Every structure is written in structure tokens, then in C-alpha cells.
Amino acid sequence: MAPPLARTTGDARPRPAARAGRIRRALCAALATAAVALPVVGAAGPAEVPAPAPAAAPSLTADGPGGLAARLDARYADRRAAVRDAERAAGAYGAHGRAAALHAMAMPERRFLAFDGRDGGRSEEVLGDLAHADRIAVLVPGADTGLDHYARFRAGALALHDALRRESGGARTAVVAWLGYRPPATGGAASLTPGRAEQAAPALAASVAALHRIRPSARITLLCHSYGSVVCAHAAAGTPAAAIVLYGSPGTGHEDVAALRTRATVWAGRAADDWVARVPHVRVPLLPGTELGFGTDPVDPAFGARRFAAGDGGHSAYLAPGSVPLRNLARIAAGREPADA
């Protein structure tokens, strides 16, 4: 039997369920349209290049001759060997661009806490003196970051470390360039949902906890760019970090700072010419356990983060040497108040 026709009133308005469905479809369309309209860089993502599984890394927590510095040196040497193994595998496969990037990463002066060349690649590179650091900044990248173009990520980390040293008033500093997950491609389906961030969050939380164990007196700050801010938000609960900085963020997947369940001070900033401002700040349920979008804009007062000046640049300019956002990111990581401009 066919269902009875709905009774109508004089204004013939649709029922609430129908209105909600239309609103949901409109928001999905708006978010998808915005993602397609935004600049798309490296949409293919990191290539699938075979690499060997790295051996277990030497421990950093066991006591031994020379203290933490000696244990770190042993870890760095061991991980450089893992990078060289991945370089040989990439060369044998014919992935010469990947092999060249890995060759640069395996130079004797490079220091990695972690490296795994599989599944697009994972790494944690140290800049500065981690064994004696009083200020540690963990740099978490967003979309389109990977081993093939790792030099771009490292250049930003180097600029951050130079600025952090200047702003730290003599305190010893280190930056950890954390590529501990497979970032999505800008505009790809994975960049519109929190799935990659949810997968990455336990690894980031474990890395920060390990840094706190080996340097318990150091101030740790998470600096989280673009999609990396979604990763940091999902890793925030219970973190020993003193501050979490969200910049160029499309949202975090949480409605406000309280939902992060962290005692860290949460900061947010966005540059005036950053295209991410045009991303609709919605969260739309799709399949069970899956959402489209990331909710409240972190620079919206309703989110509850402290704001900092982020200059007039674009989405990829936050770590540009001499820029307003770079100075303020360094000041926050140093435990100082950011400058107004």
C-alpha cells in the first residue's frame, strides 16, 4: 500500500527531516566544490616505491656510557643506515627521484629518530641539540608532504629552528620535523575527511611522549600546519606538550578547544591570503564513522583558541624566513607571547 500523502498547511513547508536532508546535501556540495576550486598541488600523492622494513631502532631510554647524547648518536647512525637501504631499493626499482631524495637524507650530518621508507615514507628528523634541548618544537606538516619532495619540508624546519634559536634567549633548542604519517593530497578525498589524521594520531602522541621521557624538563610545542592540525587535534588528549599551534587549519574535527581534552595552551592563526579560509567549516556525517569536513574554524572566537598574528602571506608561506608568522611560531615555541605584527 502506498503511504498516505502528507497533509499540508497553508505555507506548504517541507518537514524537518526533508529540510535537514537538503541542508546536508547542500553542505556536501559546497565542501566538495570548495575543495576542487582550491589550488591542487601534487594530487597524485607519494608514489608507491618498495622499501625494506627497517630493523628495530636502538633504545633511547636505557642507561649507558655517554648518556643521552651517545644513545641519540647511535639512533641517528642506525636510522641513516635504514635510509641508505631504502635508497638502494628505490634505485633498483628505477625510482630515481626518490633515490636522489633519500641520498640527500642519508648524508652524515643528518639525524633521524625514525625512518621507514614503506607506504610513502615516514621519518622524524632532528635539527639542533635534542640531547640538551630546553625548547623542542615538533613540526607536523599537512597535505602533499612526502619523501619525494622532502627538501621543502626540511627547509621550513630549518627556518623554524633558526628563528627559535633567536627567540629563545639563550635556551637550547631543537626542532623535530615529524613526517610520521602519510599526508593526503590537496583536494583528494582523503584531505576532506579525518581518516588519515585518526590513523596518524597515535604515532604522533607516542613520539611526543618519547620526547618528554628523554627530556622531561624541556618545553614541547606542537606546530601543526593545514591537515597536520587535524592530526594534532586527534593526538591532543593528555599530551605533555605545553602548547599546540594550529595554523592554516581547515578545522580540527572538534567543535572547540574543550573537546581536545588537553591542558596545553591552544593557539590558532591564519594568514590573510590563505585559501583555506574559503573551506566551509562543517562536519557532515557520511557512512557510519566517517565525516566530511572538520567543523569549527580554529580562528573563530567560538573555538576558544588564543589568536596570533600570521601576516599577509599564503597557505605555504608560514615558515618563510623573516615572515611575521615564522617569528610568532618561534616565539610561542620559545614560551614567549607572540608579537602583534
Side-chain angles (χ1 to χ4, degrees):
M1 178 182 297
L5 294 175
R7 296 173 59 187
T8 60
T9 61
D11 60 6
R13 289 180 295 179
R15 290 181 173 179
R19 288 202 306 274
R22 291 178 186 176
I23 292 170
R24 179 175 299 175
R25 289 192 294 272
L27 290 174
C28 287
L31 190 57
T33 300
V36 172
L38 295 175
V40 177
V41 180
E48 293 291 353
V49 177
S59 173
L60 295 178
T61 55
D63 293 331
L68 177 59
R71 297 196 297 276
L72 282 168
D73 286 343
R75 172 72 73 91
Y76 299 151
D78 183 85
R79 296 300 87 177
R80 276 195 299 272
V83 177
R84 288 193 291 268
D85 289 343
E87 177 193 350
R88 286 190 287 269
Y93 184 71
H96 301 300
R98 173 70 59 85
L102 293 171
H103 183 76
M105 294 172 73
M107 291 292 100
E109 69 274 12
R110 304 290 287 272
R111 293 172 292 181
F112 289 89
L113 287 172
F115 178 83
D116 188 336
R118 298 173 296 172
D119 186 33
R122 310 284 189 274
S123 66
E124 297 177 41
E125 185 171 9
V126 174
L127 306 170
D129 184 5
L130 181 59
H132 303 98
D134 304 306
R135 304 285 185 269
I136 301 171
V138 181
L139 190 62
V140 182
D144 302 318
T145 308
L147 296 184
D148 291 334
H149 305 288
Y150 182 81
R152 293 184 308 196
F153 180 41
R154 186 172 190 264
L158 283 167
L160 175 64
H161 187 237
D162 287 344
L164 180 56
R165 284 188 299 183
R166 289 194 299 271
E167 298 293 341
S168 291
R172 293 166 292 191
T173 61
V175 169
V176 177
W178 190 87
L179 182 57
Y181 78 118
R182 185 169 187 165
T186 300
S191 71
L192 306 178
T193 68
R196 295 275 180 96
E198 292 168 352
Q199 295 167 7
L204 177 58
S207 295
V208 175
L211 291 171
H212 181 63
R213 282 196 301 272
I214 65 173
R215 290 296 300 156
S217 63
R219 173 189 170 87
I220 300 174
T221 301
L222 290 173
L223 302 177
C224 318
H225 179 236
S226 193
Y227 191 88
S229 66
V230 189
V231 179
C232 288
H234 280 81
T239 182
I244 299 172
V245 188
L246 315 171
Y247 61 103
S249 174
T252 65
H254 298 77
E255 291 308 307
D256 54 28
V257 167
L260 302 185
R261 296 185 292 118
T262 180
R263 289 193 285 184
T265 301
V266 180
W267 294 84
R270 185 169 61 227
D273 198 30
D274 189 339
W275 55 256
V276 82
R278 302 195 295 274
V279 173
H281 293 285
V282 298
R283 293 172 65 191
V284 182
L286 298 176
L287 299 174
T290 304
E291 291 182 329
L292 184 68
F294 304 107
T296 311
D297 186 345
V299 300
D300 188 322
F303 187 74
R306 296 191 64 186
R307 292 281 301 276
F308 69 93
D312 298 325
H315 188 66
S316 300
Y318 289 92
L319 300 180
S323 67
V324 169
L326 176 63
R327 183 188 180 199
N328 278 338
L329 290 169
R331 288 175 70 93
I332 294 169
R336 302 176 61 188
E337 286 292 309
D340 292 336

